[in-house]
Amino acid sequence: QGRLVESGGGSVQAGESLTLSCTASKYTAINVNACVAWFRQARGKEREGVAALSTLSGIANYADAVDGRFDVSQNHIEGTVSLQMYNLKIEDTAKYYCAATRGWCGTGWSAASKYDEWGQGTQVTVSS
């Protein structure tokens, strides 16, 4: 019943990798149909959807800016949803948030208003 909690943020060089984790056991339990998503917000910019995972089907969605570089997955035992980020770019610098709601993600996954629960965020900074 606790708030979603993100971890794993940090500072890396462009081209390196980083993995974020979201504690979300309420949504990753077996046979639970939920959508767990990652959003990010850079300074001076609006919050944008990065990736989303329908926990029952395993179907994932990605923003065009990260498609092919980011991978979202879940671990039912650990009760977590991870965001693996590869070949990070300077423009990936942002505070990353985990969000979740019941039901599959669908085509509206990138709308922040879809989600009922949010984490506190974790900062990712990519430098040259």
Side-chain angles (χ1 to χ4, degrees):
Q1 310 97 26
R3 176 173 57 90
L4 302 176
V5 179
E6 305 94 335
S7 62
S11 298
V12 298
Q13 297 288 316
E16 296 183 342
S17 302
L18 196 65
T19 298
L20 307 181
S21 181
C22 173
T23 299
S25 59
K26 177 181 177 181
Y27 302 95
T28 61
I30 300 297
N31 291 328
V32 170
N33 185 21
C35 177
V36 180
W38 287 93
F39 285 75
R40 68 185 181 187
Q41 186 166 20
R43 286 184 59 86
K45 297 183 178 180
E46 295 184 352
R47 181 173 49 189
E48 65 173 340
V50 176
L53 177 70
S54 293
T55 59
L56 187 60
S57 67
I59 296 175
N61 301 95
Y62 300 94
D64 290 344
V66 306
D67 196 14
R69 297 189 298 116
F70 288 16
D71 185 22
V72 63
S73 62
Q74 67 183 320
N75 186 308
H76 292 289
I77 298 175
E78 296 180 355
T80 58
V81 174
S82 296
L83 182 68
Q84 296 170 291
M85 305 182 292
Y86 306 98
N87 190 26
L88 283 162
K89 302 177 179 180
I90 293 176
E91 53 263 43
D92 293 320
T93 295
K95 192 168 186 178
Y96 284 71
Y97 297 87
C98 180
T101 190
R102 291 299 183 101
W104 59 75
C105 296
T107 56
W109 69 269
S110 62
S113 60
K114 174 183 177 67
Y115 301 92
D116 302 310
E117 200 165 344
W118 292 79
Q120 81 289 350
T122 185
Q123 179 68 35
V124 173
T125 301
V126 184
S127 61
S128 61

